[in-house]
Amino acid sequence: MSKTVDWNDQCAFLAVMETGSLSAAARRLGLSQPTMRARIEGLEALLGTALFTRSVHGLIPTPTAKAMAAPARAMAHASEAMLRAASADSTMAAGRVRLSVSEFVGIEVLPPMLRSLRNKYPQLTVEFELSNASADLLDQQVDVAVRMHPPEQSALVTKKVPSIPLGFFAHRDYLEAYGRPGSKAEIGNHLFIGPDRNRGDLAVAALIDDPARIRWIARTDSHPAQLALARAGLGIAVTQISTAARYPELERLLPDIDLPQLPTWIVAHENLRHLPRVAALFDHLVEAFEAYGNRPHIQQ
């Protein structure tokens, strides 16, 4: 006789896999810890194998649990996709639609775009993931994504929007204290905010000067943090020109240095692209990013 696993037990298993403890998993699912323990123990009894071992670092998944993780996540994503599909009339732009964007886009770029989206589609709810890793559109983890690299899967519908220009920016207080660099030759006298380990960003930093000569005052791979540090007056940072233009305390520097632009695509699964709720977000983002990428470049 085949074994049937209760869906709630599968959710409990995945929560423990992703949080590493019964207490954290219980909080995620809104359950008590004894209930969570009972579900895991019941699942282990049904399967006839241990799924987790205890350690000082929490619950450690066994090889069996690791093998089960990917199918469990796929089922959870499919369940979420089903609930989003059922969240509203399929003939109108309403209900839930899930969006994946990078951390910087989600914090600095997306909010004004969502405000105008709300004005057009007040019955649409956007759930968005902030991650610099690409969510999987093929298994419908998300409905729409904004990506800075060209999608390769043939089952995806993509729209190239204008690339996003980058520039050097610093707070006016910093520039009053340290002066304004007029050329690359003067960069050695300044403090920079930049990447920590991100290879792509390190390549941009190398365009400034010999990396060994750069005086880093702060380093982080978080682009929102880099912008925040620049706005606090710590030093010079590279950021998106259209976003920096919203902050009057920031001044653009060295506009003649040619920095790489961020190529940008709006992406959706071909099976979802024409659903009204997905089409509304997709088309709105295309329009919004075309305006964002085509804003005039502010000068020094």
Side-chain angles (χ1 to χ4, degrees):
M1 180 181 297
S2 61
K3 299 176 181 178
T4 301
V5 178
D6 184 274
W7 173 243
N8 291 324
D9 292 344
Q10 294 184 53
C11 292
F13 163 75
L14 189 57
V16 175
M17 280 291 300
E18 294 179 344
T19 64
S21 74
L22 291 173
S23 57
R27 287 193 297 270
R28 172 184 288 190
L29 299 182
L31 302 173
S32 67
Q33 186 169 335
T35 299
M36 181 63 65
R37 179 183 294 106
R39 287 188 174 173
I40 295 299
E41 290 176 350
L43 183 58
E44 290 177 327
L46 176 67
L47 299 176
T49 185
L51 297 175
F52 300 95
T53 59
R54 296 184 181 278
S55 77
V56 294
H57 302 294
L59 294 180
I60 306 300
T62 64
T64 298
K66 292 178 181 179
M68 293 168 53
R73 289 193 182 97
M75 292 178 67
H77 294 151
S79 176
E80 279 295 310
M82 181 186 70
L83 292 176
R84 292 197 302 273
S87 64
D89 187 336
S90 61
T91 64
M92 60 187 298
R96 298 163 51 195
V97 60
R98 194 162 185 83
L99 171 67
S100 172
V101 294
S102 69
E103 186 185 25
F104 187 92
V105 169
I107 294 173
E108 293 290 342
V109 181
L110 189 65
M113 296 179 179
L114 290 185
R115 179 175 179 178
S116 56
L117 178 72
R118 178 205 62 191
N119 294 337
K120 290 193 290 186
Y121 304 106
Q123 296 181 338
L124 196 65
T125 299
V126 180
E127 304 170 344
F128 58 99
E129 296 183 3
L130 300 185
S131 175
N132 293 330
S134 296
D136 195 336
L137 285 149
L138 293 182
D139 70 2
Q140 300 180 25
Q141 291 182 24
V142 297
D143 300 310
V144 181
V146 179
R147 289 184 174 172
M148 273 62 183
H149 57 83
E152 299 178 352
Q153 297 94 334
S154 60
L156 300 181
V157 177
T158 67
K159 175 64 177 179
K160 179 73 171 66
V161 293
S163 296
I164 299 173
L166 303 175
F168 295 106
F169 288 86
H171 195 289
R172 296 187 186 277
D173 290 348
Y174 167 85
L175 297 173
E176 290 298 324
Y178 288 87
R180 290 167 173 79
S183 67
K184 288 181 67 173
E186 299 178 14
I187 284 178
N189 300 323
H190 285 271
L191 305 176
F192 278 84
I193 300 157
D196 181 20
R197 299 179 181 179
N198 185 295
R199 292 185 177 181
D201 289 351
L202 289 171
V204 172
L207 295 175
I208 303 172
D209 197 8
D210 178 357
R213 291 185 60 237
I214 298 176
R215 296 171 60 196
W216 299 110
I217 189 64
R219 304 186 70 166
T220 172
D221 288 332
S222 168
H223 296 146
Q226 292 177 13
L227 177 60
L229 292 165
R231 292 184 61 208
L234 266 73
I236 300 172
V238 174
T239 194
Q240 297 182 19
I241 294 174
S242 294
T243 289
R246 300 204 319 263
Y247 298 107
E249 69 272 22
L250 294 180
E251 182 176 321
R252 188 179 178 191
L253 307 169
L254 305 171
D256 294 335
I257 295 182
D258 189 21
L259 293 178
Q261 297 190 353
L262 296 175
T264 307
W265 288 263
I266 312 301
V267 190
H269 194 289
E270 62 182 1
N271 292 342
L272 303 177
R273 169 67 178 91
H274 297 294
L275 293 177
R277 60 187 176 84
V278 176
L281 179 60
F282 187 100
D283 294 339
H284 179 80
L285 289 177
V286 168
E287 178 182 347
F289 273 92
E290 285 178 346
Y292 180 77
N294 285 324
R295 287 178 187 171
H297 297 189
I298 60 175
Q299 298 297 317
Q300 190 173 11

